[in-house]
Amino acid sequence: MPHDGTSQGIIPILTKVCMDFIQPEINRYAEQYTSPEPPLLDRINHETYKSVHMPRMLSGHLQGRFLSMISKMISPHAILEIGTYTGYSALCLAEGLATGGKLITLDNNEELEVRVRNYFRESGREKVIDFRLGNALEILPDLPGPFDLILIDADKENYGRYYDLVIDKVPSGGFILADNVLWSGKVLKAKADKDTRAVREFNEKVKADERVEQVLLPIRDGIMMIRKN
Ligand SMILES: C[S@@+](CC[C@H](N)C(=O)[O-])C[C@H]1O[C@@H](n2cnc3c(N)ncnc32)[C@H](O)[C@@H]1O
């Protein structure tokens, strides 16, 4: 993983390496004309790149502001996130919660627990964010719902299973967002690895599902925005 040993300069390099199907100059321009990250999110972004494994998993500035904006448009009472990582996207989504609303976020990485809980505490939103550690496949069947907004952003292999486990917990007019549905452009490649096949199958599954309408947005690594009819 290339980096220069400091927090400065790491993020543009990695953005270029990992999301190279969108021109880096276009990404930078889009970020310049997008509202800045709130200070805590900027810090989480930099600290994640400095000291956490696989930092490119973090949503980042542009996508984070998009998630925040979508959440503010929906003003959800209940949000579910599958794949917390360092808490960045959960905090973006939580910005749009309706008064009295709750966000549940799931992750199975115990090593990040202390860091994530600290960030949630620092945000002042720890009372509305319910962070649950464990395998999402085991937790989801027992979550009652309904959820007005769901973000699927965990292991690609299980995207189809996550979709099946949550679709009945979304009311008519509710939304599911699924991240990484362009998988760095690999969805177009003839030779596909396991994760690429899983992402393609997920995209096909959503396309074929008459209960929903959807838009595949080429933001960062691709976001499938799904609305339950
Ligand atoms: C792409 S990262 C999430 C990034 C985060 N949403 C963000 O934008 O900042 C994916 C996360 O899913 C978690 N994950 C993978 N498989 C999981 C599973 N079966 N159950 C719960 N979490 C899982 C990983 O530990 C990782 O932290």
Side-chain angles (χ1 to χ4, degrees):
M1 189 75 49
H3 71 79
D4 61 9
T6 70
S7 61
Q8 296 299 318
I10 296 172
I11 292 170
I13 293 167
L14 288 168
T15 303
K16 186 169 182 290
V17 169
C18 303
M19 308 300 168
D20 54 7
F21 66 95
I22 296 177
Q23 279 179 34
E25 297 78 12
I26 292 291
N27 261 324
R28 270 197 290 277
Y29 187 86
E31 282 182 0
Q32 267 171 25
Y33 287 91
T34 295
S35 300
E37 296 165 288
L40 175 62
L41 289 175
D42 179 58
R43 182 152 66 77
I44 295 173
N45 198 345
H46 280 92
E47 288 178 359
T48 301
Y49 270 82
K50 215 171 153 188
S51 45
V52 182
H53 184 55
M54 300 272 283
R56 70 192 164 92
M57 295 204 297
L58 180 141
S59 283
H61 177 188
L62 185 64
Q63 181 165 310
R65 288 305 85 206
F66 173 75
L67 295 175
S68 162
M69 182 78 83
I70 289 293
S71 185
K72 285 170 182 166
M73 286 165 72
I74 299 169
S75 199
H77 291 275
I79 304 176
L80 171 66
E81 176 182 65
I82 309 170
T84 318
Y85 189 47
T86 52
Y88 187 97
S89 50
L91 288 170
C92 295
L93 292 169
E95 290 175 25
L97 272 175
T99 307
K102 288 258 178 210
L103 179 150
I104 298 176
T105 180
L106 315 175
D107 207 290
N108 63 355
N109 187 344
E110 290 174 17
E111 287 172 21
L112 294 175
E113 183 180 11
V114 173
R115 176 187 290 270
V116 170
R117 289 200 191 281
N118 282 341
Y119 287 147
F120 290 162
R121 197 170 306 120
E122 281 185 65
S123 75
R125 291 197 162 96
E126 79 271 29
K127 287 208 171 69
V128 297
I129 299 179
D130 178 356
F131 173 49
R132 302 195 190 178
L133 202 56
N135 185 347
L137 290 173
E138 289 165 14
I139 297 172
L140 288 172
D142 295 328
L143 283 184
F147 296 101
D148 323 296
L149 175 60
I150 296 180
L151 175 62
I152 301 176
D153 192 13
D155 50 325
K156 308 312 142 195
E157 201 184 341
N158 285 313
Y159 263 37
R161 289 190 192 93
Y162 295 139
Y163 184 79
D164 290 337
L165 284 167
V166 300
I167 189 73
D168 290 336
K169 302 179 197 291
V170 180
S172 172
F175 290 88
I176 301 175
L177 304 174
D179 193 18
N180 307 107
V181 293
L182 292 174
W183 206 227
S184 296
K186 285 189 268 181
V187 285
L188 296 179
K189 297 254 159 71
K191 237 177 132 189
D193 59 19
K194 188 163 58 97
D195 284 339
T196 307
R197 282 200 302 276
V199 171
R200 278 189 198 157
E201 281 163 21
F202 172 78
N203 291 338
E204 290 292 342
K205 184 185 189 81
V206 174
K207 186 181 173 191
D209 188 348
E210 290 180 354
R211 294 169 295 180
V212 300
E213 54 189 296
Q214 75 283 344
V215 185
L216 199 167
L217 298 163
I219 294 176
R220 202 182 73 115
D221 200 23
I223 299 177
M224 185 74 89
M225 192 169 183
I226 304 158
R227 182 184 181 275
K228 183 109 172 259
N229 292 325

